[in-house]
Amino acid sequence: MIEFRDVSVTYPNGTKALDGVDLTIPDGQFVVVVGLSGAGKSTLVRTINGIVPATGGELLVDGAPVAAANRRQLRRLRSQVGMIFQSFNLVNRTTVMNNVLTGRLHSAGFLRSMFGWFSGADKEVAFDALERVGILEKAYVRASQLSGGQQQRVAIARGLAQQPRIMLADEPVASLDPPTADAVMRDLQRINRELGITTVVNLHFLDLARRYGDRIIGMRAGKVVFDGTGAEADDAVFESIYGRSLTAEDVVEKKAGPVA
Amino acid sequence: MSTPATTDRAPTDQPPADRPVKPPPSIGTVVGLLVFAAISVYAAIGIEFTLRPLWEDVNRGREIVARYFDPNWAILTRPAVREGFLETLYIAIIATLVGCLIALVCAMLASKVSAPNTPVYRITKFVLSVLRSLPDLAWGLLFVAFVVNPQLSGVLALTMFNIGIVAKLTSESIDAVERGPIEAVEAAGGSRFQRGRYAVLPQVAPNYLSYCFYVFEINIRASAVLGMIGAGGIGTVINILVSRLQHEDLAAVVYALVVVVFILDQASRAVRRRLT
Amino acid sequence: MSARKTHPPTQESTTRPRPPSKVRSTVWLLVSALIVLFAIWQVNADWSRFANIFTEAPRYIALMGQGVIENPFTMPWSEYWTKSLALMIESLQMAWIGTLIGAVLSFPVSFLAASNTAPRVVVIVTRQVLNIIRAVPEIVLALVFMIPIFGLGPLAGAMALGVGSVGTLGKLSSEAIEGIDRGPLEALDAAGASKLQQLRWAVVPQVLPEIVAFWLYRFEINIRAGAILGIVGAGGIGSILDQLFNAREWGRIGLTLVVIIVVTVIVDQISAKVRQRIIAGPGAPAAAKQVRERVAV
């Protein structure tokens, strides 16, 4: 369970990215966070694993306060939280397998991790993760040789290899074309359903948000301005979140989109 | 959710048979590593590599090295030393200018983009790689024998040395130049020379100037040692002090040299940063 | 004429933009010219000796050429060739071991000198140490530190080249590290990897090809440096070169220079090829081939 209690984040340059956020995300939920860029979506997601430290309020992940964690506790927390990025963040020059195995680093000893002697068990976890996103046969291919959609699946497998309880995804489909975006979102949803991993995804496409979110959280200027189910989030709600009328840019599939 | 979630299969189970097998390292990699190891062993045996002197014979060296921690700063005030440093600087400046000017012409001839024809390009490239293969001190020895005068031989040696470096770097910059402007000047009826002057030169000028300052840095270092073989500059002083075993004096000169090179390096690099 | 008079307002609109001031560049040019002229005036070189290039040099060069074209299979020329070649190979060995030492020493240092992997203070200190090492000529390093410790011979030379290489290698490598894509670092941080694990799995795979290419590049430079260290007794072909010039044995000088040039050019070519291959990566040729095949189909 993730609990935000009046959480605020102010960056060193004075920008207030989160402003008194109160949220409770129960285990196993698939949450989509929507809002314009700069609304605080990325910050919200990044406070959960402490990459961005909360500067005010209290944030509990499974009952443990994130802000009070020391370096070691923070690493343990992060090992239980997978993360997926807009730009995939893979090491292109090495194999898919090595990229996925970096998800096992938190449990690897010094020598093992320096020389890359991963245990058979670790390798099996990595294979299993690759199998779940359907690119097992690419295990020993260089990451740079994959397409964007395949690279994002590798990144999901890396997150899965951590055997996480929570999966965070920051704009995971923003760099992908519409059909691939939909496929990646389906992968995330399937993993959420099959493994019960709590999933928090940032999106700015409202059709994807409606289709996949059990729950939609709308953010504007660092504040939560909407919190409800996908069905409740109609165009009027989105217009109030975005503070403007909707355009074709706000949906992935232009023809099927509600405002086309 | 308090149990780790990922898999319904315990990781210790026998892995299923359908796992991809790690491909063996490519033949190129294996051969490369073997060659690398073989050369390393061969070279280490050849020069009788050992680190033993570092702890066994250290006393032999310690005595001399200790004298380097007690430099005789007074020697720096001697006119011969001061003149030696200035001479090094002058030689470096003159050689940089002459070398870089000749190098610009050579660079134009050594790039496919600007060379008049293929034979000229091939020959220039070959001559340049020969020029570059001789180290600065070898040029020094040659010119000391040819012209005898130490300062002049220093200037000539560094000039030859510089042509090789600057012409190579600049010709590579010319290779990478955008072809559009060249086509434009050609289309406007420009001559070969005009093409070089108005389409190529403006594009490579910042890089070229930056290379000139780069060889100036190299020249300061090189002209300091050229004196050891009689080609003028502070090296002459260093040579005398070495032969007289005046280590305390030598230490002061060497430290001063390092400081001078360091300062000129920093100044030159500040200029280079602004150029590119 | 009258037409021109009837259009006075055009005159005002046709004021041409003034060219930007050239004062700065002119001043720079003048200052540089003055510096060079001052240097030429001060250096007290005997410029008249330049004529020797046309009078003396051709004679010496002819003598050198004779040495090169003497039948290399007759005594004493066969021995001269063998001796020069053996010493050049010793220079190469020094350069190789020196580069290896430089690589081993500079690799960890480069992480300390990169602003994205080390704290600011450490970076500044390490960079200045590297700059100071770069300022010391290898030959001085050999003379002052390595020969007293390791004695005369190629070992001292290799050590001097090794320590001398740390300056440039550390600098180039740290710049490569600073140029990496930060994404994988962030991903590994988010996955709970330690700082050291992040370096090993996010930084090293990204920069290793470049850094190995720098090692080879430095090897090419060290071949040249290794060819002259013998002048101060630190091994390699430099030792014989100095003696030959003192004895004015032009024939042997000629063939020794030929050995240096030929060996250096050949090793340079090989090294450059390997560097290109490393930068392109083992996957790249295969990928290129795939593309070619696809185009063919």
Side-chain angles (χ1 to χ4, degrees):
Chain A
M1 190 151 80
I2 306 165
E3 291 162 89
F4 285 79
R5 292 181 191 155
D6 193 27
V7 171
S8 300
V9 171
T10 310
Y11 284 113
N13 64 10
T15 315
K16 192 145 199 173
L18 287 189
D19 188 2
V21 171
D22 278 297
L23 274 180
T24 303
I25 300 172
D27 287 335
Q29 199 167 46
F30 196 104
V31 181
V32 173
V33 185
V34 294
L36 290 175
S37 55
K41 309 189 296 262
S42 282
T43 309
L44 181 81
V45 161
R46 282 173 159 75
T47 48
I48 296 175
N49 60 1
I51 289 215
V52 172
T55 49
E58 198 180 18
L59 172 57
L60 304 173
V61 173
D62 289 327
V66 176
N70 61 25
R71 178 87 201 138
R72 166 173 288 197
Q73 288 165 332
L74 204 55
R75 279 188 56 199
R76 194 178 309 144
L77 162 73
R78 287 177 185 173
S79 72
Q80 295 167 359
V81 181
M83 187 155 185
I84 298 158
F85 305 82
Q86 174 179 349
S87 50
F88 322 141
N89 290 357
L90 301 180
V91 180
N92 285 326
R93 268 183 169 148
T94 187
T95 59
V96 165
M97 191 62 177
N98 274 342
N99 271 294
V100 177
L101 280 169
T102 57
R104 301 302 306 157
L105 284 176
H106 60 82
S107 65
F110 174 78
L111 280 180
R112 271 186 190 284
S113 57
M114 284 305 110
F115 292 98
W117 299 322
F118 289 96
S119 66
D122 279 344
K123 282 185 188 153
E124 182 47 32
V125 171
F127 281 135
D128 185 63
L130 281 170
E131 200 168 29
R132 281 185 189 279
V133 292
I135 46 169
L136 182 60
E137 74 283 359
K138 301 283 186 195
Y140 292 106
V141 174
R142 270 188 166 214
S144 56
Q145 293 179 1
L146 301 185
S147 69
Q150 288 172 326
Q151 291 197 9
Q152 193 58 297
R153 288 200 179 89
V154 174
I156 294 174
R158 174 176 60 195
L160 276 181
Q162 289 173 234
Q163 300 183 307
R165 288 186 297 199
I166 299 168
M167 188 75 101
L168 307 175
D170 187 16
E171 298 275 9
V173 298
S175 320
L176 303 174
D177 58 73
T180 316
D182 204 50
V184 165
M185 286 305 295
R186 241 175 316 179
D187 276 341
L188 281 174
Q189 189 184 47
R190 191 163 39 78
I191 287 158
N192 164 264
R193 299 276 189 268
E194 285 175 7
L195 303 173
I197 299 173
T198 314
T199 307
V200 183
V201 183
N202 277 345
L203 285 177
H204 63 260
F205 297 119
L206 50 88
D207 51 344
L208 286 180
R210 275 203 197 101
R211 196 174 315 150
Y212 293 102
D214 296 340
R215 174 181 176 189
I216 290 178
I217 291 170
M219 296 204 62
R220 193 174 163 188
K223 289 192 162 80
V224 174
V225 294
F226 174 81
D227 187 350
T229 62
E232 289 166 8
D234 55 18
D235 284 4
V237 166
F238 274 104
E239 283 181 355
S240 74
I241 294 171
Y242 286 6
R244 59 168 169 75
S245 49
L246 300 177
T247 68
E249 299 294 312
D250 299 325
V251 293
V252 157
E253 280 155 53
K254 313 285 188 238
K255 279 173 206 151
V259 280
Chain B
M1 282 297 301
S2 52
T3 48
T6 308
T7 165
D8 37 5
R9 215 173 9 234
T12 42
D13 276 2
Q14 201 60 25
D18 62 342
R19 293 313 185 211
V21 187
K22 190 174 184 172
S26 76
I27 295 188
T29 313
V30 173
V31 171
L33 286 176
L34 283 178
V35 169
F36 167 81
I39 296 177
S40 300
V41 170
Y42 168 72
I45 294 170
I47 66 163
E48 295 171 23
F49 181 79
T50 168
L51 288 175
R52 226 182 246 161
L54 273 182
W55 56 88
E56 274 187 5
D57 299 339
V58 78
N59 283 329
R60 186 177 58 185
R62 185 186 288 161
E63 194 193 331
I64 298 176
V65 172
R67 293 167 74 181
Y68 282 93
F69 289 100
D70 183 24
N72 172 25
W73 297 111
I75 191 170
L76 295 181
T77 59
R78 283 201 214 156
V81 174
R82 214 188 54 230
E83 273 161 30
F85 272 114
L86 284 176
E87 208 169 81
T88 288
L89 189 60
Y90 299 146
I91 291 174
I93 290 172
I94 300 170
T96 306
L97 180 83
V98 180
C100 289
L101 285 180
I102 301 174
L104 185 58
V105 179
C106 294
M108 289 282 187
L109 299 181
S111 168
K112 259 189 188 147
V113 177
S114 50
N117 52 49
T118 316
V120 169
Y121 154 79
R122 289 258 163 77
I123 292 169
T124 319
K125 274 221 121 154
F126 176 74
V127 171
L128 286 179
S129 67
V130 170
L131 283 188
R132 257 183 305 120
S133 64
L134 277 187
D136 42 4
L137 280 188
W139 285 114
L141 287 167
L142 272 175
F143 282 107
V144 167
F146 289 167
V147 300
V148 187
N149 177 270
Q151 292 81 9
L152 182 59
S153 44
V155 168
L156 291 174
L158 286 182
T159 303
M160 298 305 277
F161 184 61
N162 289 351
I163 294 173
I165 300 174
V166 176
K168 175 180 191 252
L169 292 172
T170 311
S171 72
E172 279 167 5
S173 291
I174 296 176
D175 285 339
V177 120
E178 261 186 71
R179 302 301 162 96
I182 300 175
E183 232 175 298
V185 173
E186 248 169 20
S191 68
R192 178 179 305 288
F193 174 80
Q194 287 169 328
R195 215 170 64 185
R197 168 68 184 79
Y198 290 100
V200 177
L201 200 58
Q203 292 194 60
V204 294
N207 281 336
Y208 166 70
L209 281 179
S210 162
Y211 299 145
C212 294
F213 279 94
Y214 168 66
V215 288
F216 175 67
E217 292 161 35
I218 296 181
N219 279 352
I220 294 282
R221 234 161 302 174
S223 79
V225 293
L226 272 173
M228 290 183 181
I229 46 119
I234 190 66
T236 320
V237 177
I238 294 180
N239 217 16
I240 294 169
L241 294 177
V242 169
S243 60
R244 290 197 197 141
L245 301 174
Q246 291 172 332
H247 292 286
E248 290 84 354
D249 298 347
L250 185 57
V253 173
V254 166
Y255 294 149
L257 173 65
V258 170
V259 170
V260 168
V261 174
F262 180 79
I263 291 171
L264 288 172
D265 257 19
Q266 297 300 310
S268 162
R269 265 195 280 162
V271 176
R272 276 206 278 153
R273 261 198 299 276
R274 290 188 51 194
L275 281 173
T276 43
Chain C
M1 272 203 14
S2 60
R4 226 179 263 167
K5 271 179 197 159
T6 54
H7 292 96
T10 346
Q11 292 244 300
E12 231 151 282
S13 67
T14 52
T15 45
R16 298 301 187 227
R18 294 216 298 164
S21 162
K22 283 189 176 168
V23 172
R24 273 174 73 98
S25 51
T26 315
V27 167
W28 274 112
L29 208 65
L30 277 178
V31 169
S32 325
L34 278 180
I35 292 175
V36 174
L37 287 176
F38 181 76
I40 293 174
W41 173 55
Q42 279 284 313
V43 75
N44 86 66
D46 184 357
W47 299 104
S48 64
R49 289 278 191 169
F50 189 72
N52 283 23
I53 292 290
F54 306 106
T55 56
E56 304 289 305
R59 210 157 49 80
Y60 295 139
I61 291 171
L63 287 172
M64 287 194 267
Q66 271 176 27
V68 177
I69 56 172
E70 282 293 341
N71 184 350
F73 300 106
T74 57
M75 288 298 269
W77 298 100
S78 60
E79 197 194 314
Y80 293 161
W81 281 100
T82 331
K83 179 98 202 235
S84 290
L85 206 58
L87 281 170
M88 187 61 204
I89 285 172
E90 190 174 84
S91 279
L92 287 182
Q93 291 171 333
M94 282 161 56
W96 185 270
I97 298 294
T99 310
L100 219 56
I101 295 170
V104 169
L105 293 180
S106 68
F107 190 69
V109 172
S110 56
F111 290 91
L112 299 178
S115 55
N116 53 349
T117 52
R120 234 182 105 71
V121 184
V122 177
V123 172
I124 292 170
V125 172
T126 316
R127 288 242 153 150
Q128 292 312 317
V129 172
L130 291 178
N131 283 336
I132 289 170
I133 294 175
R134 272 158 42 89
V136 190
E138 280 90 359
I139 203 157
V140 171
L141 217 54
L143 199 60
V144 171
F145 291 109
M146 297 311 170
I147 292 178
I149 297 175
F150 293 95
L152 291 170
L155 182 57
M159 286 297 172
L161 292 179
V163 174
S165 304
V166 173
T168 20
L169 285 181
K171 178 168 177 285
L172 290 172
S173 306
S174 67
E175 282 166 1
I177 292 169
E178 284 176 349
I180 61 161
D181 170 16
R182 277 201 63 79
L185 268 181
E186 191 188 12
L188 262 63
D189 195 28
S194 69
K195 270 270 174 285
L196 212 58
Q197 288 174 329
Q198 288 173 34
L199 291 185
R200 167 67 183 79
W201 292 96
V203 182
V204 172
Q206 286 192 62
V207 295
L208 201 58
E210 266 95 355
I211 289 182
V212 173
F214 291 145
W215 293 346
L216 278 169
Y217 166 71
R218 185 65 205 187
F219 172 61
E220 292 164 33
I221 294 178
N222 279 347
I223 294 171
R224 291 154 175 86
I228 53 169
L229 282 177
I231 289 172
V232 295
I237 201 160
S239 54
I240 187 180
L241 210 55
D242 197 30
Q243 291 164 21
L244 291 176
F245 270 100
N246 284 334
R248 305 225 142 204
E249 287 189 50
W250 288 105
R252 281 190 75 184
I253 292 173
L255 70 85
T256 306
L257 289 181
V258 167
V259 167
I260 296 178
I261 292 170
V262 170
V263 172
T264 309
V265 168
I266 292 174
V267 177
D268 264 15
Q269 302 282 334
I270 298 172
S271 172
K273 282 264 149 45
V274 176
R275 272 197 285 149
Q276 277 168 10
R277 174 83 206 269
I278 288 173
I279 287 287
K289 211 158 108 200
Q290 276 175 8
V291 171
R292 239 179 290 130
E293 279 162 6
R294 226 174 292 148
V295 170
V297 170

